[in-house]
Amino acid sequence: MSFALQAIGLSKTFGSGAGGVKALDDFSLDIPRGGVFGVLGPNGAGKSTLFRLALGLIKPTGGEVRLLEQPAGDPRALRRIGSMIETPRFHPYLTARETLVMLSTQSGAASPDIAGWLARVGIADAADRKTKGFSVGMKQRLGLAAALITRPEVVILDEPTSGMDPSGILEIRALIRELADRDGVTVILASHQLDEVQRVCNRVAFLAKGKLTAVEDLSQTEEKLRILATPQAAVLDILGKRGTADGEAVLAAIARPEAPDLIRALATRGVDVVEARWVGGDLERAYLFHTRS
Ligand SMILES: Nc1ncnc2c1ncn2[C@@H]1O[C@H](COP(=O)(O)OP(=O)(O)OP(=O)(O)O)[C@@H](O)[C@H]1O
Ligand SMILES: [Mg+2]
């Protein structure tokens, strides 16, 4: 098996003495190549620190981290990596297009399709505006294009959709899946949006207080349609084995294309459907369980 990222007994302490913060504490994790890997955990758990260490932006206090089986910061690995750590910053007086031209020239990428990437991240309209006027979401979008334009084998994205509008979130979600499924890129993603993680990630690691608490395969935990309707008994009756009560609601283990038929059937039976929404299986519960203090 070949690995995108490996942390081996990795520690990072910021500051020293009583005021020191252990951001990562003897942390070990293997992320194999392929698919989308989520890194989850509360604020301050150590996610961004892990990414910074892997990219060689900061030095560990102890242990080791490897990217594409090379030591952190090794230029041979970094050339094959794209990354966006928190909200990216750009030269304020360059336009979005100029920014990408400059970054791709620096990295020696072969004739990148800059217009194509601007469109793919949804900022084609702002291509010739200076980035100093960009909103947070626009900077995130440009940051993604900057991370991807060199056609990396592994992309590290730290909260790529924070600050994005809902349609941006959907577009980026689709882009990430496409990168993994069509282009064979390994995506490593930190996010607080559990519904996004549920839809986009194949596997996730949970971090709490600088430690790895669990790794889960998400292909096992399927999403369900949570239906709030009266009478509940009628919903359970129609669903049979595929329905389970969840408080006043019912969780339906059905596939997305079956939802319209189910809701029609409920209406036909005189059931009042107040709400029906997809919920991310057990991820919320798993998150709370694995990151509790
Ligand atoms: N440069 C720094 N100097 C001092 N402390 C730092 C520094 N960078 C991170 N820390 C501390 O290390 C811990 C881990 O921070 P980190 O940014 O890795 O968390 P995170 O999991 O990315 O959180 P978030 O979800 O809020 O982004 C926190 O306690 C943070 O305050
Ligand atoms: Mg962070």
Side-chain angles (χ1 to χ4, degrees):
M1 186 184 282
S2 75
F3 292 99
L5 187 153
Q6 295 158 285
I8 309 128
L10 187 63
S11 297
K12 177 69 185 177
T13 305
F14 291 103
S16 57
V21 176
K22 266 190 183 171
L24 286 178
D25 185 8
D26 194 16
F27 177 92
S28 297
L29 170 68
D30 283 339
I31 303 181
R33 291 190 65 172
V36 183
F37 193 97
V39 177
L40 306 186
N43 296 131
K47 305 177 296 293
S48 299
T49 301
L50 172 65
F51 293 165
R52 288 207 171 91
L53 286 165
L55 294 167
L57 299 172
I58 53 175
K59 293 265 167 270
T61 315
E64 194 192 350
V65 56
R66 297 170 73 80
L67 260 191
L68 287 168
E69 303 179 24
Q70 308 294 330
D74 188 308
R76 281 171 301 176
L78 288 181
R79 259 200 299 274
R80 297 155 61 197
I81 305 282
S83 66
M84 179 167 77
I85 306 298
E86 294 171 343
T87 306
R89 281 192 218 142
F90 303 102
H91 192 298
Y93 292 99
L94 294 183
T95 66
R97 192 191 309 277
E98 287 163 351
T99 302
L100 294 184
V101 169
M102 184 190 73
L103 292 173
S104 56
T105 312
Q106 276 174 358
S107 70
S111 59
D113 174 14
I114 289 179
W117 277 110
L118 288 164
R120 219 167 157 194
V121 299
I123 48 170
D125 290 350
D128 297 307
R129 279 176 53 189
K130 292 186 174 44
T131 63
K132 70 174 175 145
F134 275 23
S135 68
V136 174
M138 289 165 79
K139 284 185 187 152
Q140 299 281 108
R141 289 167 184 262
L142 180 57
L144 272 171
L148 299 173
I149 199 156
T150 57
R151 298 240 152 237
E153 293 164 51
V154 175
V155 195
I156 297 180
L157 302 174
D158 194 0
E159 298 182 40
T161 56
S162 73
M164 264 190 209
D165 58 41
S167 55
I169 293 177
L170 291 176
E171 288 159 30
I172 299 310
R173 189 185 292 162
L175 174 63
I176 290 172
R177 260 331 317 173
E178 189 180 300
L179 283 170
D181 296 338
R182 199 193 67 184
D183 306 334
V185 176
T186 307
V187 182
I188 302 173
L189 168 94
S191 175
H192 291 295
Q193 330 242 328
L194 296 185
D195 58 333
E196 165 176 291
V197 169
Q198 177 87 43
R199 287 195 200 147
V200 93
C201 293
N202 302 102
R203 293 204 311 149
V204 294
F206 295 94
L207 272 69
K209 296 183 179 157
K211 297 222 179 253
L212 179 75
T213 53
V215 176
E216 286 204 356
D217 193 334
L218 291 190
S219 46
Q220 314 299 333
T221 63
E222 276 162 24
E223 59 176 1
K224 297 194 170 90
L225 188 64
R226 185 176 185 279
I227 304 162
L228 189 58
T230 47
Q232 186 191 38
V235 184
L236 287 168
D237 185 43
I238 288 178
L239 279 164
K241 274 195 290 223
R242 299 196 296 171
T244 47
D246 177 33
E248 289 180 6
V250 175
L251 291 175
I254 61 166
R256 285 197 171 229
E258 298 175 78
D261 279 344
L262 172 62
I263 289 170
R264 249 192 305 276
L266 291 170
T268 311
R269 289 269 299 262
V271 174
D272 288 330
V273 178
V274 178
E275 184 186 274
R277 66 186 167 97
W278 291 98
V279 291
D282 299 312
L283 189 58
E284 260 172 21
R285 220 165 289 168
Y287 177 89
L288 294 174
F289 181 75
H290 293 305
T291 62
R292 72 196 182 283
S293 44

